Amino acid sequence: MMFLYNALYTGALSLLLPFEYLKRPESLRKRWLSQRCGNQPSEGWKSKGAPVVWLHAVSVGEVISAVPLVNKILHELTPNVVVSTVTDTGQAVAKQRLQDSVRLIYIPFDLPYTARGAVKSLRPDIFIAMETELWPGVFHTMHAHNTPVVVLNGRISSNSYNGYRKIRFFMKNVLSMVTLFGMQNEVYAQRIIDIGADESRVKVVGNLKYDIEPPTVVPAWAGQLSGPVIVAGSTHEGEEEIVLAAFKRLREQFAGVVLILAPRHPQRFDEAERLIKRAGLRCLRRSMFTGELPQSDVILLDSVGELAAVYGAGQVAVMGGSFAPKGGHNLLEPASWGVPIVCGPHMDNFPMTGEFIQQGAAISVTADSLRDTLAMLLADSALRQRMGTVARDLYTRNSGALARCVKEIAQVLAAG
């Protein structure tokens, strides 16, 4: 089966590689291609006598979840940490938040000969994949070099679960190469077992996203906003129109209301600006001002890594990825600020959403009812206060995954 996987992966890569190469800024291309082909320096970057921990976090969300874990590994276990990502935005956030404390790389292509080059150069003592990113080629190579593979903050969405079950015969082999699955909750633990993981290797360690060290200071520019503020974070294609339509109607009732709109992907910033202007609203891009904040209807948050802090300026948070079938995004970021949460029907990636709704910290709406729900919340400060208090309590109550994850890593390293 690995032969077939490698053949299919190679075929897809040969078609996509030119596009992936050219879409990157010229300054990144050489490093991106070299590292994805497995080329890494073997000397001059690590302390001798200490283990090497390689942690892989695909993109921005996984990187943000991993930062406290990386810092704790550096402080308690080893100074030798490699962090890999797939996306350029993930690299940028990792660089911003971890500075030069780790070796930051792009993960090699998921093929034996590319993964082998990186493993031989970096010589990791453990490979950690965040949030059940399953890489058959990398896992197989690690296994061949007797490097334990650990999945942490593991989750399996409904769609992934249904897909993996159809190829369980293949997945069972891939999962057999994993030493430990540290899953977020019992639901995900049972799913990974159902698709082929050895039950004895599966543990529930909790959700690292509850242990994200949240920002405590709102950006200075956002603190200047005087009217009611709605923050719509990590929106996807089709969702900006829904939010803008609701916001436009809200302006008829609430004078001075401001929308901060943060598209999930940077390549959609220009498109979002066009949609805002097409709706007849004044648009101000975050990148276009410093100091005093000009008046605007909508602030387009075209920056990376700032959204978590911006939620603190909002009276209400609207979760992107939940009105389009994308599985939703991190409602814990606004919860840490005590901000009430409004989400659409698609929050599959965050099963704790059900608890937030049941406890009264969040409200689930449709595109048609979004405007009325936002109006209700903006008009009722007592309701916002109650929802925000419950949201913050839920965030605090569910912490502790970080300590459990570090303990599991230490045990795997000791056993090796």
Side-chain angles (χ1 to χ4, degrees):
M1 284 305 300
M2 283 302 300
F3 176 81
L4 178 59
Y5 174 81
N6 292 337
L8 292 172
Y9 189 98
T10 301
L13 180 62
S14 64
L15 293 175
L16 295 174
L17 184 58
F19 169 76
E20 290 293 327
Y21 179 82
L22 293 172
K23 82 175 185 180
R24 287 176 162 77
E26 192 170 348
S27 59
L28 277 181
R29 291 173 184 170
K30 184 177 179 180
R31 181 170 75 91
W32 175 84
L33 183 59
S34 178
Q35 292 183 355
R36 297 231 63 183
C37 288
N39 298 316
Q40 296 293 336
S42 57
E43 300 296 338
W45 66 273
K46 57 186 176 181
S47 300
K48 292 184 178 180
V52 175
V53 174
W54 180 349
L55 183 145
H56 178 60
V58 174
S59 190
V60 173
E62 293 84 3
V63 168
I64 292 173
S65 296
V67 166
L69 177 60
V70 170
N71 286 331
K72 204 164 180 65
I73 292 170
L74 289 167
H75 179 68
E76 297 185 9
L77 300 181
T78 178
N80 300 326
V81 178
V82 178
V83 174
S84 60
T85 74
V86 171
T87 68
D88 301 333
T89 51
Q91 289 269 310
V93 171
K95 178 67 175 175
Q96 176 192 48
R97 301 202 177 195
L98 295 170
Q99 301 297 317
D100 296 322
S101 61
V102 303
R103 174 152 190 83
L104 183 61
I105 67 170
Y106 288 99
I107 195 169
F109 294 123
D110 197 34
L111 292 166
Y113 58 89
T114 53
R116 192 181 305 122
V119 171
K120 285 185 175 180
S121 297
L122 298 172
R123 297 186 180 278
D125 294 280
I126 186 173
F127 179 83
I128 302 169
M130 297 295 292
E131 299 199 14
T132 323
E133 282 294 327
L134 304 178
W135 296 77
V138 172
F139 286 10
H140 187 271
T141 304
M142 295 291 175
H143 188 67
H145 285 78
N146 296 314
T147 301
V149 174
V150 172
V151 171
L152 289 179
N153 216 41
R155 63 185 180 90
I156 300 284
S157 68
S158 298
N159 287 340
S160 295
Y161 174 60
N162 292 331
Y164 286 145
R165 288 185 69 188
K166 295 174 182 176
I167 54 170
R168 189 178 185 277
F169 60 93
F170 174 65
M171 294 308 304
K172 187 171 183 178
N173 177 257
V174 173
L175 299 179
S176 70
M177 302 173 195
V178 179
T179 300
L180 171 70
F181 296 90
M183 308 304 287
Q184 293 180 10
N185 57 41
E186 294 287 354
V187 172
Y188 292 154
Q190 190 57 55
R191 286 177 180 175
I192 200 74
I193 292 168
D194 288 347
I195 62 175
D198 184 335
E199 186 173 359
S200 67
R201 300 183 182 186
V202 179
K203 295 184 179 181
V204 176
V205 297
N207 190 338
L208 279 171
K209 289 185 177 179
Y210 279 115
D211 276 6
I212 293 171
E213 187 173 345
T216 57
V217 178
V218 175
W221 64 267
Q224 298 177 39
L225 297 169
S226 56
V229 177
I230 299 167
V231 182
S234 298
T235 55
H236 289 255
E237 184 176 1
E239 294 188 315
E240 288 89 4
E241 292 94 330
I242 293 170
V243 173
L244 289 169
F247 175 71
K248 206 171 175 185
R249 292 173 58 203
L250 276 177
R251 295 177 70 244
E252 300 169 2
Q253 182 178 351
F254 298 94
V257 63
V258 174
L259 172 66
I260 299 177
L261 182 65
R264 176 68 173 177
H265 299 114
Q267 60 266 32
R268 297 194 58 252
F269 289 156
D270 291 343
E271 177 189 355
E273 182 178 20
R274 288 192 292 270
L275 291 170
I276 294 165
K277 291 180 177 178
R278 193 180 305 159
L281 298 165
R282 293 174 296 173
C283 177
L284 179 64
R285 293 181 71 137
R286 166 69 182 94
S287 60
M288 300 301 291
F289 65 83
T290 56
E292 187 173 346
L293 187 66
Q295 283 196 337
S296 182
D297 302 318
V298 182
I299 297 173
L300 178 60
L301 193 64
D302 60 343
S303 57
V304 175
E306 197 174 18
L307 176 60
V310 169
Y311 276 124
Q315 274 66 57
V316 183
V318 178
M319 302 315 302
S322 66
F323 293 91
K326 300 295 181 179
H329 289 295
N330 193 359
L331 79 171
L332 304 176
E333 290 177 341
S336 72
W337 286 102
V339 174
I341 299 158
V342 175
C343 57
H346 303 287
M347 287 293 290
D348 299 348
N349 290 343
F350 292 86
M352 79 286 292
T353 304
E355 183 179 9
F356 271 70
I357 294 169
Q358 291 167 10
Q359 297 291 327
I363 299 175
S364 181
V365 301
T366 65
D368 292 336
S369 62
L370 175 61
R371 183 267 172 197
D372 291 342
T373 300
L374 291 175
M376 175 184 69
L377 289 170
L378 292 182
D380 192 338
S381 60
L383 175 59
R384 294 200 309 273
Q385 179 66 37
R386 288 196 301 273
M387 291 182 64
T389 299
V390 175
R392 188 183 287 112
D393 287 347
L394 284 170
Y395 173 86
T396 303
R397 191 188 313 160
N398 287 279
S399 61
L402 181 58
R404 289 188 288 272
C405 286
V406 173
K407 181 181 178 181
E408 296 295 344
I409 295 169
Q411 289 178 349
V412 172
L413 285 172

